[in-house]
Amino acid sequence: MSNAQFIVVANRLPVDAVVDAEGNRTWRRSPGGLVTALEPVLQANRGTWIGWAGTAGAAPEPFESDGVTLLPVELSENEIFRYYEGFSNASLWPLYHDAVEPRVFRRSWWKSYYEVNERFAEVCAREAAPGAVVWIQDYQLQLVPGMLRERRPDLRIGFFLHIPFPPVELFMQLPHRMEILKGLLGADLVGFQRPLAAQNFLALTRHLLGYRPRGHYVTVDDRLVRADAFPISIDTAANEEVAGTERVRQRAKEIRAELGEPETIFLGVDRLDYTKGIEVRLKAFRELLEDGRLEVPKAVMIQVATPSRERVDQYVALRERVEREVGRINGEYGQVGLPAVHYLHQSFDRYELAALYQAADVMAVTPLRDGMNLVAKEYVASQADNRGALVLSEFAGAAGDLRQAFLVNPHDLTDLKDGFVTAATASADDKMKRMRAMRRYLRKHDVSRWARSFLTALGVPERSAAYNPGS
Ligand code: ADQ
């Protein structure tokens, strides 16, 4: 047994390997709110982060990064295929997102999912100090809470699901549904993005196990398990700071100039994922051009689609469909030197992203289903002059927080098209009021508040270092 007082367990470590020309490997912290929120807690508690380092084969030795111990877990090529691309991303991911794309089940994937979860649980059981706090992240590791409790009943175990939790009828399709539910119930606290997800989970314990949940609690053996909502957020101050730099302001102006000073720039920024509603967004834009309600070059769209899960069949097919649609729109409505849709299948640093957010008049966040959607929150935080308009899907968890957005139902193309036009033609005053209210909300509800409220609910005492390391 080791001495880690606070452990985060996630599929990926919060760093990416960078290999230079001589073949030397160094590690670069990967961007993201989760790392930002948890780093101070980890630093103050000699914390440990357990996760996969991102490449197949033998795991690198544990190492320190910014005061945090990083403990790589090995995944073989076969496990990446079965546990990660298979069961996690082709079975669970579509099913938990309301099956907006058909889910695929393979028995060999489950075996690998089980084995990898067991490996994570074993590493964690070995590292944790007596009575330590362990916080497990997301759908790839749903068996870990139960496996860990069997090995180490002394630990405080929290689990947070970043994606939606499906209604009972959908969850019931899942082979090994019982093992997964029991795995989650190994935690003391199961956190979700939205209250409805917590309710789905509690209803499932009644349906599948005959338990009798009361309020947010359900009794499992002699333990109380709490299921509740903790909507994740962004590092609002950091986003505002980047957006306020001269560099970003200049770059935003430059982008508008490069596009020929259009009246309305529509922007989409997503991982290239079928849940994000990129196809319906493009279709709505095309029909608006077709109907003459929008016109190139007065209106243009920028679609940034970060490469994602490129070896999973559904993602390969999606990319082809999206790129065909972009080609079609540009073929029909573009002019020489003036495409209707600027499509960028790339990742950008946070300055370029902030400049794009600032250049955009209408941000189109139209997922068919999404746990939260941080892009919507980043866009709002970047509107230093309260100028832009956010079109937001009711099916994104963020719609519960950003109530002043132009809310749309992306499953209803007419509603989506009307939402685009309403946002594009809203008065400056209306947009400013909405934006101000949303920015105020995000200043208060940022990612460190999210982490704090989860840890408090997990019973980490307020005065302990794990609760508020900065003080
Ligand atoms: P994701 O599905 O990855 O997250 P999202 O919440 O939008 O979705 O986060 C995407 C992140 O990637 C954002 O921080 C964004 O800035 C960044 N990003 C997107 N495109 C980029 C690009 N081209 N270059 C650089 N960065 C880019 C999952 C769930 C969400 C939930 C989060 C957090 O699916 O619902 O909000 O976890 O819990």
Side-chain angles (χ1 to χ4, degrees), residues 167-232:
V168 171
E169 315 86 84
L170 262 180
F171 188 89
M172 292 303 284
Q173 291 182 9
L174 192 59
H176 305 281
R177 57 200 185 188
M178 190 68 103
E179 283 111 309
I180 289 188
L181 179 59
K182 286 190 173 162
L184 291 168
L185 286 167
D188 297 293
L189 174 63
V190 189
F192 300 92
Q193 302 275 25
R194 301 259 45 116
L196 194 59
Q199 282 167 31
N200 286 345
F201 176 77
L202 289 166
L204 190 67
T205 65
R206 183 194 296 273
H207 187 84
L208 211 51
L209 295 167
Y211 290 165
R212 293 174 178 279
R214 276 170 203 240
H216 293 297
Y217 291 89
V218 60
T219 307
V220 180
D221 306 326
D222 285 334
R223 286 183 307 120
L224 264 189
V225 177
R226 175 171 167 189
D228 217 333
F230 301 88
I232 200 168

Side-chain angles (χ1 to χ4, degrees), residues 93 162-163 193 232 269-271 276 304 306 346-348 353 357 370-375 378:
W93 178 270
H162 291 257
I163 67 175
Q193 302 275 25
I232 200 168
V269 173
D270 317 80
R271 269 189 313 98
K276 302 288 181 186
V304 179
T306 321
Q346 303 163 27
S347 283
F348 292 110
L353 218 47
Y357 288 148
D370 213 334
M372 178 54 62
N373 195 295
L374 298 179
V375 166
E378 289 165 3

Side-chain angles (χ1 to χ4, degrees), residues 27-238:
W27 298 95
R28 187 182 50 206
R29 197 181 107 161
S30 34
L34 189 62
V35 191
T36 314
L38 296 180
E39 198 165 51
V41 190
L42 284 156
Q43 283 167 349
N45 293 279
R46 286 181 298 165
T48 298
W49 188 305
I50 296 172
W52 174 47
T55 46
E61 286 299 310
F63 58 99
E64 293 270 319
S65 165
D66 295 331
V68 177
T69 304
L70 300 185
L71 225 166
V73 174
E74 172 177 343
L75 287 189
S76 68
E77 192 59 59
N78 204 316
E79 285 166 343
I80 296 169
F81 176 64
R82 292 179 171 171
Y83 143 79
Y84 180 67
E85 294 168 346
F87 198 76
S88 296
N89 287 325
S91 308
L92 291 170
W93 178 270
L95 189 76
Y96 280 31
H97 286 88
D98 287 354
V100 294
E101 188 86 358
R103 76 285 174 292
V104 184
F105 298 131
R106 299 255 187 284
R107 278 167 287 188
S108 58
W109 292 353
W110 164 257
K111 185 167 174 284
S112 180
Y113 184 82
Y114 186 94
E115 286 167 2
V116 170
N117 272 251
E118 199 166 44
R119 187 172 313 145
F120 274 82
E122 268 160 15
V123 172
C124 186
R126 206 174 55 220
E127 290 303 312
V133 174
V134 179
W135 191 358
I136 301 150
Q137 310 287 327
D138 228 358
Y139 62 102
Q140 303 92 348
L141 301 176
Q142 292 174 100
L143 303 176
V144 175
M147 290 169 164
L148 190 56
R149 180 160 301 282
E150 264 174 37
R151 291 164 174 78
R152 292 291 304 274
D154 60 302
L155 302 177
R156 256 346 260 161
I157 304 174
F159 178 91
F160 185 77
L161 187 70
H162 291 257
I163 67 175
F165 191 80
V168 171
E169 315 86 84
L170 262 180
F171 188 89
M172 292 303 284
Q173 291 182 9
L174 192 59
H176 305 281
R177 57 200 185 188
M178 190 68 103
E179 283 111 309
I180 289 188
L181 179 59
K182 286 190 173 162
L184 291 168
L185 286 167
D188 297 293
L189 174 63
V190 189
F192 300 92
Q193 302 275 25
R194 301 259 45 116
L196 194 59
Q199 282 167 31
N200 286 345
F201 176 77
L202 289 166
L204 190 67
T205 65
R206 183 194 296 273
H207 187 84
L208 211 51
L209 295 167
Y211 290 165
R212 293 174 178 279
R214 276 170 203 240
H216 293 297
Y217 291 89
V218 60
T219 307
V220 180
D221 306 326
D222 285 334
R223 286 183 307 120
L224 264 189
V225 177
R226 175 171 167 189
D228 217 333
F230 301 88
I232 200 168
S233 195
I234 55 168
D235 184 346
T236 311

Side-chain angles (χ1 to χ4, degrees), residues 233-297:
S233 195
I234 55 168
D235 184 346
T236 311
N239 274 270
E240 288 192 336
E241 198 186 313
V242 170
T245 56
E246 197 44 37
R247 168 178 171 190
V248 166
R249 285 175 191 277
Q250 279 307 326
R251 179 66 190 134
K253 278 197 196 129
E254 220 172 273
I255 293 171
R256 292 194 71 89
E258 279 164 6
L259 294 175
E261 302 291 349
E263 275 172 24
T264 314
I265 300 177
F266 290 86
L267 173 67
V269 173
D270 317 80
R271 269 189 313 98
L272 188 47
D273 194 298
Y274 50 78
T275 59
K276 302 288 181 186
I278 301 169
E279 288 177 276
V280 284
R281 187 183 309 156
L282 288 169
K283 189 159 186 212
F285 187 62
R286 172 163 57 76
E287 285 199 7
L288 287 169
L289 295 172
E290 223 163 73
D291 303 342
R293 292 169 81 190
L294 293 178
E295 221 179 284
V296 180

